[in-house]
Amino acid sequence: MIKLRTFLILTFTSFVILLTAVLGILLSNRSAENLQNEIGQSLSSIAYQMSDKLDNFMWSRTGEVEILAAMAALEQNVGISETQKLLTQLKASFPSFSWVGFMNNQGDVLAATDGILVGTNISERPVFKEGIKGKFIGDVHEGVLLSKLLPNPSGEPLQFVDISLPVTGKDGKTIGVLAAHLSWEWSKEVQRTILEPQKDHIQDLELFIISKKDSTVLLGPQNMVGEKLDIDSVKRGQSGENDWKIEKWPDGKSYLTGYAYGDGYLNYEGLGWTVLVRQPEEIAFSSMEDMIQNFFLTGFIASIIFAIIGSILAETISRPIRGITSAADRLRSGGNVTLPEYKGFKEIHSLSTSLRSLVESLSRSESALGDMKLLAEQDQLTGLPNRIALERYLENTIEQLDPHSETLAFMYIDLDGFKKVNDTLGHQVGDLLLQKVAQRLLEVTKAGNITVRLGGDEFLLILRSSKTDSYQLARETAEEIIDLINKPYIVDLNHVSIGCSIGAAFYPMHDQNVGNIIRIADECLYRSKQSGKNRVTFYEETNQ
């Protein structure tokens, strides 16, 4: 017959291992999926930010070329010297333009930055052949003529993105073509601005830009640039998806890959670039693996401790063991059970409290993992701060605020006509419209202020300023917001127009409780709606 000492040693050891395994599996399975999805979404978000910045940059540069083409100096064949000055000024203002030139209808370069290619006929180049027909934006390519004429300290092949469009005279006839070569080096600067803030908390990130035409790598690690990348993430991205997946790459390694598709910006249709952000799978999910390992390490240590206690106190702890084992069985079955605490003997009391501490520690770990989602301070749809971020902002700002000389303007914003867009064009268009509205609100959000999405089509902008000019600054900001929101939108190829109503109140002048201030601003918003919408109402105005 087995000895009680041996039996208790085996029982204690098996019990603690089983308890740790059951709790570890329950906690890890419940939290691993959520944690994995959060990590994947963070990479997808980075890819989307890169894609959005690329399209925004190309939209800006295209608009600059269009403005230049419309200038009177380009409409006169005799104004070549003035045209030369304008081109030189454009390049000086925007160094990303490597070369800008003006050609006549026969393809002869009449004026160009730094005089490069002046007098040369480039009628057979795509930048002229396509530009004479209409606006042309060409994908990344190596320069043929310019590579020999432009400075190139690195010695690497120069790559460009082309923009060209016809120039028309006052009679409406085409008098030439304005063409620009954008250096592809600007994409690396955009990449740096995206990845640099992530280095401290996300390791070994790599970013890729993939062409739509042949799925080649336009930007990425040096050894992969120019290579075709045939993986599922590229195909999904090119189909218009923005998501993430775990995928094996051509090097045989498995990576967590976030992907986003560049579908253009406003009237810029985009070149269909797919942006990938990858991180080695073992690094991406290392925190989750550490969590599981800690669970089982804690259980292993506890099993040794309790086995020693069992061998010494065999005769005196048989009854408490039965009670603890019974509670553990109920806990494993899913019951809400607290392990009993035995106070008859000091040693038994120590054992029971240690087990309680173990269960409570594992439960706190589960609670902490659940809180990770609550720490996300960004609205998933618009990218604006959410209510959690708002609370943190108010805690920090109010603590630093001098109530005698400073004030906070709470501006409650609600979109006019948004429900009609949702009802007629669908929720997908409504979501895209909210994203564009968020981008415009960020344009008026200065450092030290915050714009928050409260939910639906409601937003809150908090403006910190001195008391002396708080009202004037708030009114100017509100009018700027109304003007921005009223500008038309192109959403999923639909022309959309909306407005917005605003209610404003000041902290601490109108109330020292920020919750009350928000309610007051909401009431002022209601007054704006009643007064005809598309306007701002201040608390002072409601009391006149």
Side-chain angles (χ1 to χ4, degrees), residues 225-282:
V225 173
E227 298 292 329
K228 184 174 182 179
L229 188 58
D230 186 16
I231 60 176
D232 190 54
S233 295
V234 174
K235 296 176 183 176
R236 292 190 179 191
Q238 290 177 345
S239 68
E241 292 185 26
N242 294 340
D243 209 340
W244 63 274
K245 68 174 301 184
I246 301 171
E247 186 171 21
K248 183 173 288 187
W249 281 55
D251 61 0
K253 298 180 181 179
S254 183
Y255 294 87
L256 176 64
T257 307
Y259 51 88
Y261 180 73
D263 57 356
Y265 182 79
L266 297 181
N267 61 341
Y268 167 65
E269 296 181 356
L271 293 172
W273 292 331
T274 299
V275 177
L276 305 181
V277 178
R278 76 176 187 182
Q279 185 181 30
E281 182 181 7
E282 65 274 14

Side-chain angles (χ1 to χ4, degrees), residues 482-542:
I482 293 172
D483 289 342
L484 277 175
I485 299 302
N486 273 267
K487 291 181 179 180
Y489 303 81
I490 301 299
V491 185
D492 199 19
L493 299 182
N494 293 289
H495 186 281
V496 177
S497 293
I498 59 173
C500 74
S501 298
I502 303 175
F506 294 92
Y507 171 91
M509 291 186 291
H510 297 148
D511 203 295
Q512 294 187 353
N513 186 304
V514 293
N516 293 338
I517 290 291
I518 294 175
R519 283 190 289 273
I520 291 172
D522 189 20
E523 292 172 1
C524 293
L525 168 65
Y526 179 72
R527 295 291 182 90
S528 293
K529 293 280 189 181
Q530 284 185 321
S531 302
K533 302 182 178 180
N534 218 32
R535 64 187 62 200
V536 59
T537 300
F538 287 85
Y539 180 62
E540 290 84 350
E541 298 170 351
T542 64

